[in-house]
Amino acid sequence: MTITWAFARKELATWRQDPTLFVFLFAAPLLMQALLSDAFSGITGSAGANQTVPGFTIMFGFYVMMFMGTSHYREHASGAWSLVRTSGLSRGMMAIQLAIPYFVLSAVQMALLIVTGRFLFGGTINGSLLALTVLILAIAWTAISLGLVLVSLTRNVSAMQNLCQLVVLGMGAVGGAVVPVRLMPAWDRPLAPLTPQYWAVDGMKRVLADNGGLSSIVPNIVVLSGWACVLSIIATFAFDPGTQRRVAIR
C-alpha cells in the first residue's frame, strides 16, 4: 500500500501540471457532446445525448491509456523508473502499480462525463446504478490493459502516442462511439462487435437510455472482461521493466 500511495501521489502531481489531460479526457468529449447532441436528435429520432454522451465518453475515455504510457516514459527520462526496479517488486506488480492510478482516473472520468451530460445535454440515466458502476469498471480495466500492451510494444514516446491515437480513433469509430452502428456502411457493421468500444457503448446505452439492469448487460460485461483478461495476460508477459524507453524519437 505504501508503494501504491507513492505511485498515486506522483501521478496526482503530474496531472496538476499537465493541462492536456483535462483537454483530452474532459473538455474535448464535452465539446463534442455540445456540438452534436442536437444533430443526432434529428438523425436517430430520439434524444441525441443518448448517443453522444455514451459514445464520446467511451471514445475519449480510452485516451487514458496514452497518458499512462506518457507518464511511464517520463519515469524513464527522469530516472525514477530505475528506483522502481530496485524496489523488489515483481514484473506483474510493477505493471499493476503503473496501472492503478489511471484505472481510478478512467472510472472517475466516465462517471463525471455521464453526470455532466445528464445535466448539460439532457442525457438520461434510467437504468441501474449498480449496472452502470460494474460496466464503468469493466471498461476502465479494458482500457488500462490495452494501454499496458501498447506501452510494452513501443520503445519511444512518439511511437506509443501515435499507436494510441490510431487505436482510440480507429476502434472508436468502428465500434460505434461516433455514429450509431446501424447508420454505418453495411461493410462496417460486422466489424463493430470485434472492438471493445462496441460492447462498451452498447452496454452504456442499455443502462442509460433503456432502463437496463445488471442482467441486461451480462454479455457486455463478459466480453469486456474477456478482452481485459487476455490483454492483462499479454501485458504481464510483454511488459519488461528493464527495457530502455526514450522520450526522444530516436
Coordinates of all heavy atoms in Angstrom, one line a residue, residues 67-162:
F67 N -2.1 8.7 -21.7 CA -1.5 9.5 -20.6 C -0.7 8.5 -19.6 O 0.3 8.9 -19.1 CB -2.5 10.2 -19.9 CG -3.1 11.4 -20.7 CD1 -4.2 11.3 -21.4 CD2 -2.4 12.6 -20.7 CE1 -4.7 12.3 -22.2 CE2 -2.8 13.7 -21.5 CZ -4.0 13.5 -22.2
M68 N -1.2 7.3 -19.5 CA -0.5 6.3 -18.7 C 0.9 6.0 -19.3 O 1.9 6.0 -18.6 CB -1.3 5.1 -18.5 CG -0.6 4.0 -17.7 SD -1.6 2.5 -17.5 CE -1.6 1.9 -19.2
G69 N 0.8 5.8 -20.6 CA 2.1 5.5 -21.3 C 3.1 6.6 -21.3 O 4.3 6.5 -21.1
T70 N 2.6 7.9 -21.5 CA 3.4 9.0 -21.4 C 4.1 9.2 -20.1 O 5.3 9.5 -19.9 CB 2.6 10.3 -21.8 OG1 2.1 10.2 -23.1 CG2 3.5 11.5 -21.8
S71 N 3.3 9.0 -19.0 CA 3.8 9.0 -17.6 C 5.0 8.0 -17.4 O 6.0 8.4 -16.8 CB 2.7 8.8 -16.6 OG 3.2 8.8 -15.3
H72 N 4.8 6.8 -18.0 CA 5.8 5.8 -17.8 C 7.1 6.2 -18.5 O 8.2 6.0 -18.0 CB 5.3 4.5 -18.4 CG 6.3 3.3 -18.2 ND1 6.8 3.0 -16.9 CD2 6.8 2.5 -19.1 CE1 7.6 2.0 -17.1 NE2 7.6 1.6 -18.4
Y73 N 7.0 6.8 -19.7 CA 8.1 7.3 -20.4 C 8.8 8.4 -19.7 O 10.1 8.5 -19.7 CB 7.8 7.7 -21.8 CG 7.7 6.6 -22.8 CD1 6.5 5.9 -23.0 CD2 8.9 6.2 -23.5 CE1 6.5 4.8 -23.9 CE2 8.8 5.1 -24.4 CZ 7.6 4.4 -24.6 OH 7.6 3.4 -25.5
R74 N 8.1 9.2 -19.0 CA 8.7 10.3 -18.2 C 9.5 9.7 -17.0 O 10.5 10.3 -16.6 CB 7.6 11.3 -17.7 CG 7.0 12.2 -18.8 CD 5.8 13.0 -18.2 NE 5.3 13.9 -19.2 CZ 4.1 14.5 -19.1 NH1 3.3 14.2 -18.1 NH2 3.7 15.3 -20.1
E75 N 9.0 8.6 -16.5 CA 9.7 8.0 -15.4 C 11.1 7.5 -15.9 O 12.0 7.6 -15.1 CB 8.9 6.8 -14.9 CG 7.6 7.2 -14.1 CD 6.8 6.1 -13.7 OE1 6.9 5.0 -14.4 OE2 6.0 6.2 -12.8
H76 N 11.1 7.0 -17.1 CA 12.4 6.5 -17.6 C 13.3 7.7 -17.9 O 14.5 7.7 -17.6 CB 12.1 5.8 -19.0 CG 11.8 4.4 -18.8 ND1 12.7 3.3 -18.8 CD2 10.5 3.8 -18.6 CE1 12.0 2.2 -18.6 NE2 10.7 2.4 -18.5
A77 N 12.7 8.8 -18.4 CA 13.6 10.0 -18.7 C 14.1 10.6 -17.4 O 15.3 11.1 -17.4 CB 12.7 11.1 -19.4
S78 N 13.3 10.6 -16.3 CA 13.8 11.3 -15.1 C 14.7 10.3 -14.2 O 15.3 10.8 -13.2 CB 12.6 11.7 -14.2 OG 11.8 10.6 -13.8
G79 N 14.7 9.1 -14.5 CA 15.4 8.1 -13.7 C 14.6 7.5 -12.6 O 15.1 6.6 -11.9
A80 N 13.3 7.9 -12.5 CA 12.5 7.4 -11.4 C 12.2 5.9 -11.6 O 12.1 5.2 -10.6 CB 11.2 8.1 -11.3
W81 N 12.2 5.4 -12.8 CA 11.9 4.0 -13.0 C 13.0 3.1 -12.5 O 12.8 2.0 -12.1 CB 11.6 3.8 -14.5 CG 11.1 2.4 -14.7 CD1 11.7 1.3 -15.3 CD2 9.8 1.9 -14.3 NE1 10.9 0.2 -15.3 CE2 9.7 0.5 -14.7 CE3 8.7 2.4 -13.6 CZ2 8.6 -0.3 -14.5 CZ3 7.6 1.6 -13.4 CH2 7.6 0.3 -13.8
S82 N 14.2 3.6 -12.6 CA 15.4 2.9 -12.0 C 15.2 2.6 -10.6 O 15.5 1.5 -10.1 CB 16.7 3.6 -12.3 OG 16.9 3.8 -13.7
L83 N 14.6 3.5 -9.8 CA 14.3 3.3 -8.4 C 13.2 2.3 -8.2 O 13.3 1.4 -7.3 CB 13.9 4.6 -7.8 CG 15.0 5.7 -7.8 CD1 14.4 7.0 -7.1 CD2 16.2 5.3 -7.0
V84 N 12.2 2.3 -9.1 CA 11.1 1.3 -9.0 C 11.7 -0.1 -9.2 O 11.3 -1.0 -8.5 CB 10.1 1.6 -10.0 CG1 9.0 0.5 -10.0 CG2 9.4 3.0 -9.8
R85 N 12.6 -0.2 -10.1 CA 13.2 -1.5 -10.4 C 14.0 -2.1 -9.3 O 14.2 -3.3 -9.2 CB 14.1 -1.5 -11.7 CG 13.3 -1.2 -13.0 CD 14.3 -1.1 -14.1 NE 15.1 -2.3 -14.3 CZ 16.2 -2.3 -14.9 NH1 16.7 -1.2 -15.5 NH2 16.9 -3.5 -15.0
T86 N 14.5 -1.2 -8.4 CA 15.3 -1.7 -7.3 C 14.4 -2.0 -6.0 O 14.9 -2.3 -5.0 CB 16.3 -0.7 -6.9 OG1 15.7 0.5 -6.5 CG2 17.3 -0.4 -8.1
S87 N 13.1 -1.8 -6.2 CA 12.1 -2.0 -5.1 C 11.9 -3.4 -4.7 O 11.3 -3.7 -3.7 CB 10.8 -1.3 -5.4 OG 10.2 -1.9 -6.5
G88 N 12.2 -4.3 -5.6 CA 11.9 -5.7 -5.3 C 10.6 -6.2 -5.8 O 10.2 -7.4 -5.6
L89 N 9.8 -5.4 -6.5 CA 8.5 -5.7 -7.0 C 8.7 -6.7 -8.2 O 9.6 -6.6 -8.9 CB 7.7 -4.5 -7.4 CG 7.3 -3.5 -6.3 CD1 6.6 -2.3 -7.0 CD2 6.3 -4.2 -5.4
S90 N 7.7 -7.6 -8.3 CA 7.7 -8.5 -9.5 C 7.3 -7.7 -10.7 O 6.8 -6.6 -10.6 CB 6.7 -9.6 -9.2 OG 5.4 -9.2 -9.1
R91 N 7.5 -8.3 -11.8 CA 7.1 -7.7 -13.1 C 5.6 -7.3 -13.1 O 5.2 -6.2 -13.5 CB 7.5 -8.6 -14.3 CG 7.0 -8.1 -15.6 CD 7.1 -9.1 -16.7 NE 8.5 -9.6 -16.9 CZ 8.9 -10.3 -17.9 NH1 8.0 -10.7 -18.8 NH2 10.1 -10.7 -18.0
G92 N 4.8 -8.3 -12.7 CA 3.4 -8.1 -12.7 C 3.0 -7.0 -11.8 O 2.1 -6.2 -12.1
M93 N 3.6 -7.0 -10.6 CA 3.2 -5.9 -9.6 C 3.7 -4.6 -10.1 O 3.0 -3.6 -9.8 CB 3.9 -6.3 -8.3 CG 3.4 -5.4 -7.1 SD 1.6 -5.4 -6.9 CE 1.3 -7.1 -6.4
M94 N 4.8 -4.5 -10.8 CA 5.2 -3.2 -11.3 C 4.1 -2.7 -12.3 O 3.8 -1.5 -12.3 CB 6.5 -3.3 -12.0 CG 7.7 -3.4 -11.1 SD 9.3 -3.4 -12.1 CE 10.4 -3.9 -10.8
A95 N 3.6 -3.6 -13.2 CA 2.6 -3.2 -14.1 C 1.3 -2.7 -13.4 O 0.7 -1.8 -13.8 CB 2.3 -4.3 -15.1
I96 N 1.0 -3.5 -12.4 CA -0.2 -3.1 -11.6 C -0.1 -1.7 -11.0 O -1.0 -0.9 -11.0 CB -0.5 -4.2 -10.6 CG1 -1.0 -5.5 -11.2 CG2 -1.6 -3.7 -9.6 CD1 -1.1 -6.6 -10.3
Q97 N 1.1 -1.5 -10.4 CA 1.3 -0.2 -9.8 C 1.2 1.0 -10.8 O 0.7 2.1 -10.5 CB 2.6 -0.1 -9.0 CG 2.7 -1.1 -7.9 CD 1.7 -0.9 -6.8 OE1 1.2 0.3 -6.6 NE2 1.4 -1.9 -6.0
L98 N 1.7 0.7 -12.0 CA 1.6 1.7 -13.0 C 0.2 1.9 -13.5 O -0.2 3.1 -13.8 CB 2.5 1.2 -14.2 CG 2.4 2.0 -15.5 CD1 3.1 3.4 -15.3 CD2 3.2 1.3 -16.6
A99 N -0.6 0.9 -13.4 CA -2.0 1.0 -13.9 C -3.0 1.5 -12.9 O -4.0 2.2 -13.3 CB -2.4 -0.4 -14.4
I100 N -2.8 1.3 -11.6 CA -3.9 1.6 -10.6 C -4.3 3.1 -10.7 O -5.5 3.4 -10.7 CB -3.4 1.2 -9.2 CG1 -3.4 -0.3 -9.0 CG2 -4.3 1.9 -8.2 CD1 -2.9 -0.8 -7.7
P101 N -3.4 4.1 -10.7 CA -3.9 5.5 -10.7 C -4.7 5.8 -11.9 O -5.7 6.5 -11.8 CB -2.6 6.3 -10.6 CG -1.6 5.4 -10.1 CD -1.9 4.0 -10.6
Y102 N -4.3 5.2 -13.1 CA -5.1 5.5 -14.3 C -6.4 4.7 -14.4 O -7.3 5.2 -15.1 CB -4.1 5.3 -15.5 CG -3.1 6.3 -15.6 CD1 -1.9 6.2 -14.9 CD2 -3.3 7.5 -16.2 CE1 -0.9 7.2 -14.9 CE2 -2.4 8.6 -16.3 CZ -1.2 8.4 -15.6 OH -0.3 9.4 -15.6
F103 N -6.4 3.6 -13.7 CA -7.7 2.9 -13.6 C -8.7 3.7 -12.9 O -9.9 3.8 -13.3 CB -7.5 1.5 -13.0 CG -8.7 0.8 -12.7 CD1 -9.3 0.0 -13.7 CD2 -9.3 0.8 -11.4 CE1 -10.5 -0.7 -13.4 CE2 -10.5 0.1 -11.1 CZ -11.1 -0.7 -12.1
V104 N -8.3 4.3 -11.8 CA -9.2 5.1 -11.0 C -9.5 6.4 -11.8 O -10.7 6.8 -11.8 CB -8.5 5.5 -9.6 CG1 -9.3 6.5 -8.9 CG2 -8.2 4.3 -8.8
L105 N -8.6 7.0 -12.4 CA -8.8 8.2 -13.2 C -9.8 7.9 -14.3 O -10.8 8.7 -14.6 CB -7.5 8.7 -13.9 CG -7.7 9.9 -14.8 CD1 -8.2 11.1 -14.1 CD2 -6.3 10.1 -15.5
S106 N -9.7 6.7 -15.0 CA -10.6 6.3 -16.1 C -12.0 6.2 -15.5 O -13.0 6.7 -16.2 CB -10.2 5.0 -16.7 OG -11.1 4.6 -17.7
A107 N -12.2 5.5 -14.4 CA -13.5 5.4 -13.8 C -14.2 6.7 -13.4 O -15.3 7.0 -13.7 CB -13.5 4.4 -12.6
V108 N -13.4 7.6 -12.8 CA -13.9 8.9 -12.4 C -14.2 9.7 -13.6 O -15.3 10.4 -13.6 CB -12.8 9.6 -11.5 CG1 -13.2 11.1 -11.3 CG2 -12.7 8.9 -10.2
Q109 N -13.4 9.7 -14.7 CA -13.7 10.5 -15.9 C -15.0 10.1 -16.5 O -15.8 10.9 -16.8 CB -12.5 10.2 -16.9 CG -12.7 11.0 -18.2 CD -12.8 10.1 -19.4 OE1 -13.0 8.8 -19.2 NE2 -12.7 10.6 -20.6
M110 N -15.2 8.8 -16.6 CA -16.5 8.3 -17.3 C -17.7 8.7 -16.4 O -18.7 9.2 -16.9 CB -16.5 6.8 -17.5 CG -15.6 6.4 -18.7 SD -15.7 4.6 -19.0 CE -14.5 4.0 -17.8
A111 N -17.6 8.6 -15.1 CA -18.7 8.9 -14.2 C -19.0 10.4 -14.3 O -20.2 10.8 -14.4 CB -18.4 8.5 -12.8
L112 N -18.0 11.2 -14.3 CA -18.2 12.7 -14.4 C -18.8 13.1 -15.7 O -19.7 14.0 -15.8 CB -16.9 13.4 -14.2 CG -16.3 13.5 -12.8 CD1 -15.0 14.1 -12.7 CD2 -17.3 14.2 -11.8
L113 N -18.4 12.5 -16.8 CA -18.9 12.8 -18.1 C -20.4 12.4 -18.2 O -21.2 13.1 -18.9 CB -18.1 12.2 -19.2 CG -16.7 12.8 -19.5 CD1 -16.0 12.0 -20.6 CD2 -16.8 14.2 -19.9
I114 N -20.7 11.3 -17.7 CA -22.1 10.8 -17.7 C -23.0 11.8 -16.9 O -24.1 12.2 -17.4 CB -22.2 9.4 -17.2 CG1 -21.6 8.4 -18.2 CG2 -23.7 9.0 -16.9 CD1 -21.4 7.0 -17.6
V115 N -22.6 12.2 -15.7 CA -23.4 13.1 -14.9 C -23.4 14.5 -15.5 O -24.5 15.1 -15.6 CB -22.7 13.2 -13.5 CG1 -23.4 14.3 -12.7 CG2 -22.8 11.9 -12.8
T116 N -22.3 14.9 -16.1 CA -22.3 16.2 -16.7 C -23.2 16.2 -18.0 O -24.0 17.2 -18.2 CB -20.9 16.6 -17.1 OG1 -20.1 16.6 -16.0 CG2 -20.9 18.1 -17.7
G117 N -23.2 15.2 -18.7 CA -24.0 15.0 -19.9 C -25.5 15.0 -19.6 O -26.3 15.5 -20.3
R118 N -25.8 14.4 -18.4 CA -27.2 14.4 -17.9 C -27.7 15.8 -17.7 O -28.8 16.2 -18.1 CB -27.2 13.6 -16.6 CG -28.5 13.7 -15.8 CD -29.7 13.1 -16.5 NE -30.9 13.3 -15.7 CZ -31.7 14.3 -15.6 NH1 -31.4 15.4 -16.4 NH2 -32.8 14.3 -14.9
F119 N -26.9 16.7 -17.1 CA -27.4 18.0 -16.7 C -27.2 19.0 -17.8 O -28.0 19.9 -17.9 CB -26.7 18.5 -15.4 CG -27.1 17.7 -14.2 CD1 -26.3 16.8 -13.6 CD2 -28.3 18.0 -13.6 CE1 -26.7 16.1 -12.5 CE2 -28.7 17.3 -12.5 CZ -27.9 16.4 -11.9
L120 N -26.2 18.9 -18.6 CA -26.0 19.9 -19.7 C -26.7 19.6 -21.0 O -27.2 20.5 -21.7 CB -24.5 20.0 -20.0 CG -23.6 20.6 -18.9 CD1 -22.2 20.8 -19.3 CD2 -24.1 22.0 -18.4
F121 N -26.8 18.3 -21.3 CA -27.3 18.0 -22.7 C -28.5 17.1 -22.7 O -29.0 16.7 -23.7 CB -26.2 17.3 -23.5 CG -24.9 18.1 -23.4 CD1 -23.8 17.5 -22.8 CD2 -24.8 19.3 -24.0 CE1 -22.6 18.2 -22.8 CE2 -23.6 20.0 -23.9 CZ -22.5 19.5 -23.3
G122 N -29.1 16.8 -21.5 CA -30.3 16.0 -21.4 C -30.1 14.6 -21.6 O -31.1 13.8 -21.9
G123 N -28.9 14.1 -21.4 CA -28.7 12.6 -21.4 C -29.5 12.0 -20.2 O -29.7 12.6 -19.2
T124 N -29.9 10.7 -20.4 CA -30.7 10.1 -19.4 C -29.8 9.1 -18.6 O -28.8 8.6 -19.1 CB -31.9 9.3 -20.0 OG1 -31.3 8.4 -21.0 CG2 -32.8 10.2 -20.7
I125 N -30.3 8.8 -17.3 CA -29.7 7.8 -16.5 C -30.9 7.0 -15.9 O -31.3 7.2 -14.8 CB -28.8 8.4 -15.4 CG1 -27.8 9.3 -15.9 CG2 -28.1 7.2 -14.6 CD1 -26.9 10.0 -14.9
N126 N -31.4 6.2 -16.8 CA -32.7 5.5 -16.5 C -32.4 4.1 -15.8 O -33.3 3.6 -15.1 CB -33.5 5.2 -17.7 CG -34.0 6.5 -18.3 OD1 -34.2 7.5 -17.6 ND2 -34.2 6.6 -19.6
G127 N -31.3 3.5 -16.0 CA -31.1 2.2 -15.5 C -30.5 2.1 -14.2 O -30.4 3.1 -13.4
S128 N -30.0 0.9 -13.8 CA -29.4 0.6 -12.5 C -28.1 1.2 -12.3 O -27.2 1.1 -13.2 CB -29.3 -0.9 -12.4 OG -28.4 -1.3 -11.3
L129 N -27.9 1.9 -11.2 CA -26.6 2.5 -10.9 C -25.5 1.4 -10.6 O -24.4 1.6 -10.9 CB -26.7 3.4 -9.7 CG -27.5 4.7 -9.9 CD1 -27.5 5.6 -8.7 CD2 -26.9 5.5 -11.1
L130 N -26.0 0.3 -10.1 CA -25.1 -0.8 -9.9 C -24.6 -1.4 -11.2 O -23.3 -1.6 -11.4 CB -25.8 -2.0 -9.1 CG -25.0 -3.3 -9.0 CD1 -23.7 -3.0 -8.2 CD2 -25.8 -4.3 -8.3
A131 N -25.4 -1.5 -12.2 CA -25.0 -2.0 -13.5 C -24.1 -1.0 -14.1 O -23.1 -1.4 -14.8 CB -26.3 -2.2 -14.4
L132 N -24.4 0.3 -14.0 CA -23.5 1.3 -14.6 C -22.1 1.3 -13.9 O -21.1 1.4 -14.6 CB -24.1 2.7 -14.4 CG -23.4 3.9 -15.0 CD1 -23.2 3.8 -16.5 CD2 -24.1 5.2 -14.6
T133 N -22.1 1.1 -12.6 CA -20.8 1.0 -11.9 C -20.0 -0.1 -12.4 O -18.8 0.0 -12.7 CB -21.0 1.0 -10.4 OG1 -21.8 2.1 -10.0 CG2 -19.7 0.9 -9.7
V134 N -20.6 -1.3 -12.5 CA -19.9 -2.5 -12.9 C -19.4 -2.3 -14.3 O -18.2 -2.7 -14.7 CB -20.8 -3.8 -12.8 CG1 -20.1 -5.0 -13.4 CG2 -21.1 -4.0 -11.4
L135 N -20.2 -1.7 -15.2 CA -19.8 -1.5 -16.6 C -18.6 -0.6 -16.7 O -17.7 -0.8 -17.4 CB -21.0 -1.0 -17.4 CG -20.8 -0.7 -18.9 CD1 -20.5 -2.0 -19.6 CD2 -22.0 0.0 -19.5
I136 N -18.7 0.5 -15.9 CA -17.6 1.5 -15.9 C -16.3 0.8 -15.5 O -15.2 1.1 -16.1 CB -17.9 2.7 -15.0 CG1 -19.0 3.6 -15.7 CG2 -16.7 3.5 -14.7 CD1 -19.4 4.8 -14.9
L137 N -16.3 0.0 -14.5 CA -15.1 -0.6 -14.0 C -14.6 -1.6 -15.0 O -13.3 -1.7 -15.2 CB -15.4 -1.4 -12.7 CG -15.7 -0.5 -11.5 CD1 -16.1 -1.3 -10.3 CD2 -14.6 0.5 -11.2
A138 N -15.5 -2.3 -15.7 CA -15.0 -3.2 -16.8 C -14.4 -2.5 -18.0 O -13.4 -2.9 -18.5 CB -16.2 -4.1 -17.3
I139 N -15.0 -1.3 -18.3 CA -14.4 -0.5 -19.4 C -13.1 0.0 -19.0 O -12.1 0.0 -19.8 CB -15.4 0.6 -19.8 CG1 -16.7 0.1 -20.3 CG2 -14.7 1.5 -20.8 CD1 -17.8 1.1 -20.4
A140 N -12.9 0.5 -17.8 CA -11.7 1.1 -17.4 C -10.6 0.0 -17.3 O -9.4 0.2 -17.7 CB -11.8 1.7 -16.0
W141 N -10.9 -1.2 -16.9 CA -10.0 -2.3 -16.9 C -9.5 -2.7 -18.3 O -8.3 -2.9 -18.5 CB -10.6 -3.5 -16.2 CG -9.8 -4.7 -16.1 CD1 -8.4 -4.8 -16.1 CD2 -10.2 -6.1 -15.8 NE1 -8.0 -6.1 -16.0 CE2 -9.0 -6.9 -15.8 CE3 -11.4 -6.7 -15.7 CZ2 -9.1 -8.3 -15.6 CZ3 -11.5 -8.0 -15.5 CH2 -10.4 -8.8 -15.4
T142 N -10.5 -2.7 -19.2 CA -10.1 -3.0 -20.6 C -9.2 -1.9 -21.2 O -8.2 -2.2 -21.8 CB -11.4 -3.1 -21.5 OG1 -12.3 -4.0 -20.9 CG2 -11.0 -3.4 -22.9
A143 N -9.5 -0.6 -20.9 CA -8.7 0.5 -21.5 C -7.3 0.4 -20.9 O -6.3 0.6 -21.7 CB -9.4 1.8 -21.2
I144 N -7.2 0.2 -19.6 CA -5.8 0.2 -19.0 C -5.0 -1.0 -19.5 O -3.8 -0.9 -19.7 CB -6.0 0.2 -17.5 CG1 -6.6 1.5 -17.0 CG2 -4.6 0.0 -16.8 CD1 -5.9 2.8 -17.4
S145 N -5.7 -2.1 -19.6 CA -4.9 -3.3 -20.0 C -4.4 -3.1 -21.5 O -3.3 -3.5 -21.8 CB -5.9 -4.6 -20.0 OG -6.3 -4.8 -18.7
L146 N -5.3 -2.6 -22.3 CA -4.9 -2.3 -23.7 C -3.7 -1.3 -23.7 O -2.7 -1.4 -24.4 CB -6.0 -1.7 -24.5 CG -5.8 -1.3 -25.9 CD1 -5.3 -2.5 -26.7 CD2 -7.1 -0.8 -26.6
G147 N -3.7 -0.3 -22.8 CA -2.7 0.7 -22.7 C -1.3 0.0 -22.3 O -0.3 0.4 -22.8
L148 N -1.4 -0.9 -21.4 CA -0.2 -1.6 -21.0 C 0.4 -2.4 -22.1 O 1.7 -2.5 -22.2 CB -0.5 -2.5 -19.8 CG -0.7 -1.8 -18.4 CD1 -1.2 -2.9 -17.4 CD2 0.6 -1.1 -17.9
V149 N -0.4 -3.0 -22.9 CA 0.1 -3.8 -24.1 C 0.8 -2.8 -25.1 O 1.9 -3.1 -25.6 CB -1.1 -4.5 -24.8 CG1 -0.6 -5.1 -26.1 CG2 -1.6 -5.6 -23.9
L150 N 0.1 -1.7 -25.3 CA 0.7 -0.7 -26.3 C 2.1 -0.1 -25.7 O 3.0 0.1 -26.5 CB -0.2 0.4 -26.5 CG -1.6 0.0 -27.2 CD1 -2.4 1.3 -27.5 CD2 -1.3 -0.8 -28.5
V151 N 2.1 0.1 -24.4 CA 3.4 0.5 -23.8 C 4.5 -0.5 -24.0 O 5.6 -0.2 -24.4 CB 3.2 0.9 -22.4 CG1 4.6 1.1 -21.7 CG2 2.4 2.1 -22.2
S152 N 4.1 -1.8 -23.8 CA 5.0 -2.9 -24.0 C 5.6 -3.0 -25.4 O 6.7 -3.6 -25.6 CB 4.4 -4.2 -23.5 OG 4.0 -4.1 -22.2
L153 N 4.8 -2.6 -26.4 CA 5.1 -2.8 -27.8 C 6.0 -1.7 -28.3 O 6.5 -1.8 -29.4 CB 3.9 -2.9 -28.6 CG 3.0 -4.1 -28.4 CD1 1.7 -4.0 -29.3 CD2 3.7 -5.4 -28.7
T154 N 6.2 -0.6 -27.6 CA 6.9 0.5 -28.1 C 8.2 0.8 -27.3 O 8.3 0.4 -26.2 CB 6.0 1.8 -28.1 OG1 5.5 2.0 -26.8 CG2 4.8 1.6 -29.0
R155 N 9.0 1.6 -28.0 CA 10.3 1.9 -27.3 C 10.6 3.4 -27.3 O 11.6 3.8 -26.7 CB 11.5 1.3 -28.1 CG 11.4 -0.3 -28.1 CD 11.6 -0.8 -26.7 NE 11.6 -2.3 -26.6 CZ 10.5 -3.0 -26.4 NH1 9.3 -2.3 -26.2 NH2 10.5 -4.3 -26.4
N156 N 9.7 4.2 -27.9 CA 9.9 5.7 -27.7 C 8.5 6.3 -27.6 O 7.5 5.7 -28.1 CB 10.7 6.3 -28.8 CG 10.0 6.3 -30.2 OD1 9.0 7.0 -30.4 ND2 10.5 5.4 -31.1
V157 N 8.4 7.5 -27.0 CA 7.1 8.0 -26.6 C 6.3 8.4 -27.8 O 5.1 8.3 -27.8 CB 7.3 9.2 -25.7 CG1 7.9 10.4 -26.4 CG2 6.0 9.6 -25.0
S158 N 6.9 8.9 -28.9 CA 6.2 9.2 -30.1 C 5.5 8.1 -30.7 O 4.3 8.2 -31.1 CB 7.2 9.8 -31.1 OG 6.5 10.2 -32.3
A159 N 6.2 6.9 -30.8 CA 5.5 5.7 -31.3 C 4.3 5.3 -30.5 O 3.3 4.9 -31.0 CB 6.5 4.6 -31.5
M160 N 4.5 5.4 -29.1 CA 3.5 5.0 -28.2 C 2.2 5.9 -28.4 O 1.1 5.4 -28.5 CB 4.0 5.0 -26.8 CG 3.0 4.6 -25.7 SD 1.8 5.9 -25.2 CE 2.9 7.1 -24.6
Q161 N 2.4 7.2 -28.5 CA 1.3 8.1 -28.6 C 0.6 8.0 -30.0 O -0.6 8.0 -30.0 CB 1.8 9.5 -28.4 CG 2.2 9.8 -27.0 CD 2.8 11.2 -26.8 OE1 3.3 11.8 -27.8 NE2 2.8 11.7 -25.6
N162 N 1.4 7.8 -31.0 CA 0.8 7.6 -32.3 C -0.1 6.3 -32.4 O -1.2 6.3 -33.0 CB 1.8 7.6 -33.4 CG 2.5 8.9 -33.6 OD1 1.9 9.9 -33.3 ND2 3.7 8.9 -34.2

